[in-house]
Amino acid sequence: MKKNGLYLQLISIHGLIRGHSLELGRDADTGGQTKYVVELAKVLATHEDVAQVDLITRLIRDKNISSDYSKPIEEISDGARIVRIQCGGRKYLRKELLWPHLEEFIDKTIKFITSQERPPDIFHGHYADAGYVAMQLAAAFDTPFFFTGHSMGKNKLAKLLADGMKKNEIIRQYKIKTRIDTEETLIEKADMIITSTQQEIDNQYGLYANGAAGKYTVIPPGIELDAFYPYYDSQLDIDLLSEEAKQTKITLRNELHRFWPNPEKPFVLAVCRPDHRKNITGLIEAYGMDKELQAIANLAIFAGIRQDINSMEDNERAVLTDMLLQMDRYDLYGKLAIPKKHDFATEVPTLYRMCAQSHGVFINPALVEPFGLTLIEASACGLPIVATNDGGPVDIIKNCESGLLVDVGQPEAISGALKEILIEQSLWDTLSNNGINGVRKHYSWSTHCKDTIEQYSRLLPEQQVDSSKSNLQQNIRPSFGKRLTSIRKLLITDIDNTLIGDDDSLYQLLDLLDEHRSDLAWGVATGRSLELTLEAMTEYNIPMPDILICSVGTEMYYGPDLRMDKGWQQHISNKWKPELIKETLEQFDFLVFQEAEGQRSHKISYYLENTDDRLEQVQQSLNERKLRCNVIYSHNQFLDILPSRASKGKAVSYLRFKYDFLPRFVMVAGDSGNDADMLQGNTRGLIVGNYSEELAYLKDAARVYFSQGKYAAGIIEGLRHYGLL
Ligand code: GLC
Ligand code: MG
């Protein structure tokens, strides 16, 4: 990685993403967004202010799809790579099924970041799922985060309802509620939301409760200018055209000439899907009612790939049937061409240029047009445009001045605008040139890149660029993620009877921890709930540690703002059935339920005086009902029942894994039975001099040191013993 410059992480989790030959359209999740993020990653990496771009996506190893998607790292260009993170198994999953696995994705991305030279400066999430991941990572590393929705749940819900689908079914199949709730949060929390148009802000984000509070910037995506070059280039450089391009041109010309006895006239062109929302009928009506327009120009409508009208979907069939009926009604034989097939990728740019060469006009008659990609493409080729005075076209015309906006609901408005451009040669020339220049200025990838970097940079603290401020920076407490990924040594200590018990040595220890804070992180691991932990810290005036492992390892928080580790909670929820456990243990009169603070979402606690074989009875009854859980007894009075994946020791292992601490640089300190499993991990264990008898059996255990000193004095002794101080 270059030393100076921005380290950017773009996140786009679903779909099939790779650096070459994207399988666009293979399924609903592999489309425009996947193409966009790959292009974006590549172009951002070319910017001089950028050191590195990672495009983070899901790793998939599935025999039904290419093994390309299982490579953990794929370099896609100089300074840009795809980083694949596994979550929710390895099979390909549609995006709606990924929600439950995002915490795992976040944990593993943090782990990946830990292995890098430095954490990213910016996270940018694409679509709600990755937006959520970006938000969590940004909190961990204290960076800004960007969100690009690509499409929004509320619009999808409205569309599905309009199509007649039942709300319950939509919620079940599309997890639309989770998506919309997440989007609400993202709109509120994102440092910046990038949209392609103003229309998106008004009509999509605008539908959300937090819509008005969001921070937005419109940055339209770039188009591939190589494909959409101006019409005059192909005229001048006819020899340079590839054979394939020439053949495409001839095919298109022959096809059109079949319809037109006077093919030398200019023609008006429309290209769209056969969808009634595209208002093709409105266009034919406008043309059909205006004899003057018919005399000046032919009309060509390319409405999707048409095979057999009978086998089409209802909407498409209705549109095409209407077109044929209208052709008849207005007697447009010899004037209106409705060619059968077209191949969008290769034919459309040629078609725009042919139309421009005829001095024609491109029209998009749709009543609502959120973006209007075809208008940008046509303009890029130098073909003047006419479109609806609403949504995306308004932005395009404002930027490029390459055509006229009309009320497409009125046929005379359409034909009037078309005639104006067709008749006034100088207007045609101006619009054509404006389009060619305007698109290159506003809709090129390099413009998109420049504007995006500008937005990123605006949100970064100045210190990043100015190293003379580094003294000041040391006093600013970095986020827990940045701190934990940069520190090698870690102390985790129990509170009661380990950290606290002797005030003198406690303050001596706290001073030492402060002195060594730049290379030693520390945390507590306690049976206490978060509230009781904070109570103890206030009482003893203990500064906020880096990590709080509470309720016997079932909850984990990071200081200073006590952010809960949701990945951990999700991980331990596996097979946790608290209601069944309580029900099973009801039979034992000798178990006394602890007060409310003792009961947590992932911890059930009792008082128990362990005489006879009471503990065994408890364990046995749980085994009989196959309730998998972790039973921990301490101080001869506390009985804690935890999920089988939870304990203080397991919480410490999880931390070690996530932030990549080596076992020999981690010391755990304790005094009683609920510390036993963390003392026996492969980290370094320390048992204070005042330990309770239940730990005596560890005397011979490997990697456990029994200190002479009691309480915090014992911790200091241990830290010195293991060379951590
Ligand atoms: C703390 C907790 C209690 C738990 C005990 C042992 O005292 O408040 O709920 O049972 O530690 O882990
Ligand atoms: Mg203790």
Side-chain angles (χ1 to χ4, degrees):
M1 192 189 310
K2 275 194 271 173
K3 224 169 130 227
N4 292 317
L6 300 171
Y7 177 13
L8 309 171
Q9 278 193 349
L10 311 181
I11 307 163
S12 181
I13 301 173
H14 61 256
L16 296 170
I17 299 185
R18 62 184 174 191
H20 60 93
S21 36
L22 285 168
E23 300 181 76
L24 299 179
R26 175 177 165 145
D27 60 42
D29 290 357
T30 310
Q33 179 182 333
T34 52
K35 179 155 187 255
Y36 171 81
V37 290
V38 172
E39 294 289 335
L40 182 61
K42 285 185 190 164
V43 71
L44 287 173
T46 62
H47 196 280
E48 55 177 6
D49 293 348
V50 173
Q52 169 76 39
V53 184
D54 292 346
L55 171 54
I56 313 269
T57 190
R58 182 166 172 257
L59 183 145
I60 304 151
R61 186 166 288 138
D62 184 329
K63 60 180 180 332
N64 298 318
I65 62 164
S66 160
S67 62
D68 288 352
Y69 305 106
S70 68
K71 286 198 200 95
I73 295 203
E74 177 189 344
E75 302 286 341
I76 52 173
S77 70
D78 199 16
R81 58 189 177 169
I82 295 176
V83 175
R84 299 194 175 85
I85 305 276
Q86 179 264 326
C87 75
R90 290 187 162 74
K91 277 212 155 54
Y92 186 49
L93 297 175
R94 63 185 170 92
K95 59 181 176 303
E96 290 83 5
L97 301 179
L98 292 175
W99 290 104
H101 308 295
L102 297 183
E103 302 300 341
E104 183 186 358
F105 192 88
I106 293 166
D107 276 1
K108 290 180 176 166
T109 307
I110 290 182
K111 166 116 179 113
F112 170 77
I113 292 171
T114 307
S115 71
Q116 301 302 296
E117 280 164 44
R118 58 176 161 118
D121 300 302
I122 296 269
F123 295 95
H124 188 159
H126 293 266
Y127 191 83
D129 51 10
Y132 175 79
V133 170
M135 175 172 73
Q136 298 296 340
L137 292 171
F141 294 98
D142 198 17
T143 69
F145 87 93
F146 277 56
F147 174 54
T148 301
H150 289 272
S151 70
M152 299 295 283
K154 285 215 170 183
N155 301 78
K156 170 121 179 186
L157 174 63
K159 184 176 177 298
L160 293 173
L161 287 172
D163 287 352
M165 202 169 163
K166 292 267 172 303
K167 183 145 185 195
N168 279 343
E169 177 62 14
I170 302 173
I171 293 179
R172 205 177 53 76
Q173 193 174 337
Y174 294 102
K175 311 284 180 261
I176 207 84
K177 220 182 118 14
T178 312
R179 176 174 171 192
I180 292 174
D181 290 348
T182 307
E183 286 165 340
E184 276 293 4
T185 315
L186 291 169
I187 296 173
E188 186 198 339
K189 297 271 163 67
D191 294 284
M192 188 53 75
I193 297 167
I194 305 290
T195 70
S196 294
T197 60
Q198 180 62 38
Q199 191 271 355
E200 229 179 288
I201 303 175
D202 302 338
N203 301 357
Q204 299 189 42
Y205 291 88
L207 302 179
Y208 288 72
N210 293 329
K215 301 182 256 330
Y216 307 94
T217 305
V218 179
I219 309 182
I223 68 158
E224 284 168 276
L225 293 171
D226 289 352
F228 297 97
Y229 55 83
Y231 71 96
Y232 46 67
D233 278 357
S234 63
Q235 230 163 8
L236 300 174
D237 299 339
I238 192 86
D239 296 339
L240 299 176
L241 281 183
S242 71
E243 294 309 323
E244 200 191 342
K246 290 183 201 164
Q247 288 154 10
T248 306
K249 207 170 157 177
I250 289 295
T251 315
L252 281 168
R253 198 174 64 193
N254 291 344
E255 180 71 16
L256 288 170
H257 288 192
R258 289 204 307 157
F259 293 90
W260 296 332
N262 299 309
E264 68 290 347
K265 279 193 209 174
F267 69 95
V268 172
L269 172 68
V271 176
C272 60
R273 276 180 292 114
D275 182 327
H276 65 81
R277 282 171 288 210
K278 298 289 178 189
N279 190 32
I280 301 168
T281 45
L283 170 62
I284 304 181
E285 193 182 336
Y287 183 75
M289 293 191 335
D290 194 321
K291 293 280 180 219
E292 193 188 1
L293 178 57
Q294 290 170 33
I296 304 171
N298 292 316
L299 174 61
I301 300 177
F302 286 72
I305 300 164
R306 176 156 56 91
Q307 279 118 14
D308 179 1
I309 293 193
N310 284 321
S311 64
M312 286 182 150
E313 284 192 23
D314 290 352
N315 183 3
E316 293 182 17
R317 184 169 52 225
V319 171
L320 287 164
T321 313
D322 280 354
M323 278 168 63
L324 295 169
L325 292 174
Q326 276 182 304
M327 170 127 100
D328 198 62
R329 179 178 335 134
Y330 295 111
D331 191 15
L332 297 177
Y333 299 99
K335 293 171 187 157
L336 168 59
I338 41 178
K340 260 197 160 185
K341 260 197 225 171
H342 66 272
D343 172 347
F344 259 99
T346 63
E347 292 182 358
V348 171
T350 307
L351 197 51
Y352 292 141
R353 282 187 287 268
M354 285 171 64
C355 186
Q357 276 158 9
S358 83
H359 276 245
V361 180
F362 180 80
I363 174 149
N364 176 345
L367 301 170
V368 221
E369 184 54 73
F371 185 61
L373 185 62
T374 52
L375 295 168
I376 299 175
E377 293 172 347
S379 297
C381 296
L383 178 58
I385 59 176
V386 171
T388 182
N389 194 0
D390 173 65
V394 178
D395 287 15
I396 295 169
I397 293 298
K398 201 172 90 207
N399 288 331
C400 303
E401 298 180 13
S402 56
L404 302 177
L405 297 176
V406 296
D407 176 355
V408 288
Q410 300 195 12
E412 320 79 61
I414 296 182
S415 49
L418 291 173
K419 280 191 294 188
E420 198 180 330
I421 302 175
L422 289 164
I423 294 168
E424 285 182 42
Q425 182 60 43
S426 65
L427 176 64
W428 191 97
D429 288 340
T430 310
L431 297 176
S432 170
N433 290 343
N434 285 353
I436 294 167
N437 303 333
V439 170
R440 273 150 190 80
K441 178 152 181 254
H442 296 280
Y443 299 99
S444 72
W445 275 107
S446 61
T447 306
H448 185 83
C449 171
K450 190 172 82 27
D451 292 350
T452 308
I453 300 275
E454 206 173 290
Q455 291 302 321
Y456 289 158
S457 309
R458 252 171 25 88
L459 284 169
L460 290 173
E462 281 179 33
Q463 295 98 298
Q464 223 129 2
V465 222
D466 186 355
S467 56
S468 66
K469 295 204 184 120
S470 59
N471 272 345
L472 196 147
Q473 253 183 303
Q474 282 189 348
N475 294 330
I476 302 170
R477 216 184 154 129
S479 67
F480 67 88
K482 275 198 182 130
R483 183 164 152 75
L484 293 179
T485 47
S486 68
I487 288 189
R488 282 193 319 157
K489 298 176 188 170
L490 177 66
L491 159 69
I492 298 287
T493 175
D494 173 45
I495 298 184
D496 295 288
N497 296 317
T498 305
L499 183 64
I500 59 182
D502 172 46
D503 288 0
D504 285 349
S505 55
L506 169 62
Y507 296 115
Q508 208 187 328
L509 173 65
L510 293 175
D511 283 348
L512 283 167
L513 290 175
D514 189 47
E515 209 177 294
H516 289 84
R517 68 180 311 278
S518 62
D519 69 338
L520 175 63
W522 79 285
V524 294
T526 174
R528 291 172 177 248
S529 62
L530 177 63
E531 295 72 23
L532 292 177
T533 304
L534 296 177
E535 213 173 281
M537 309 222 330
T538 320
E539 192 182 334
Y540 291 90
N541 208 359
I542 300 171
M544 188 63 78
D546 297 298
I547 298 150
L548 293 98
I549 298 172
C550 298
S551 302
V552 204
T554 60
E555 290 167 28
M556 197 163 349
Y557 303 88
Y558 301 100
D561 54 351
L562 302 177
R563 192 172 285 273
M564 186 185 223
D565 192 318
K566 293 197 198 140
W568 175 241
Q569 282 255 304
Q570 194 181 48
H571 173 74
I572 64 175
S573 296
N574 186 42
K575 303 211 167 89
W576 174 236
K577 303 200 173 86
E579 293 315 316
L580 279 181
I581 294 174
K582 284 185 230 172
E583 204 182 289
T584 309
L585 298 183
E586 246 165 34
Q587 50 173 318
F588 300 117
D589 298 337
F590 53 76
L591 289 181
V592 180
F593 219 52
Q594 283 185 17
E595 38 296 285
E597 306 88 81
Q599 315 304 333
R600 309 292 290 186
S601 66
H602 293 73
K603 165 175 169 286
I604 308 169
S605 292
Y606 302 87
Y607 293 110
L608 163 68
E609 200 190 324
N610 188 23
T611 50
D612 309 320
D613 57 350
R614 287 172 172 180
L615 199 52
E616 267 158 54
Q617 288 182 47
V618 168
Q619 186 74 66
Q620 212 168 28
S621 69
L622 293 168
N623 288 351
E624 270 161 23
R625 293 196 58 182
K626 297 210 163 40
L627 289 167
R628 307 218 318 138
C629 52
N630 199 357
V631 177
I632 295 181
Y633 188 58
S634 61
H635 287 288
N636 223 1
Q637 56 169 328
F638 301 122
L639 178 69
D640 302 319
I641 318 273
L642 318 174
S644 63
R645 286 186 176 179
S647 71
K648 286 188 187 180
K650 287 175 178 147
V652 173
S653 304
Y654 169 84
L655 266 180
R656 270 218 310 109
F657 168 80
K658 191 158 157 184
Y659 294 101
D660 213 18
F661 286 99
L662 291 175
R664 67 191 152 94
F665 292 130
V666 179
M667 184 180 101
V668 294
D671 71 293
S672 78
N674 77 2
D675 304 314
D677 89 305
M678 89 172 167
L679 289 164
Q680 290 173 89
N682 53 3
T683 52
R684 304 305 182 242
L686 178 276
I687 297 182
V688 287
N690 54 294
Y691 65 90
S692 65
E693 261 319 294
E694 66 229 17
L695 292 186
Y697 76 99
L698 289 175
K699 275 257 147 93
D700 297 323
R703 296 185 296 266
V704 176
Y705 176 72
F706 280 74
S707 68
Q708 296 297 312
K710 295 180 177 169
Y711 307 103
I715 303 178
I716 298 174
E717 191 183 324
L719 288 171
R720 296 217 161 100
H721 171 80
Y722 288 124
L724 297 182
L725 273 186

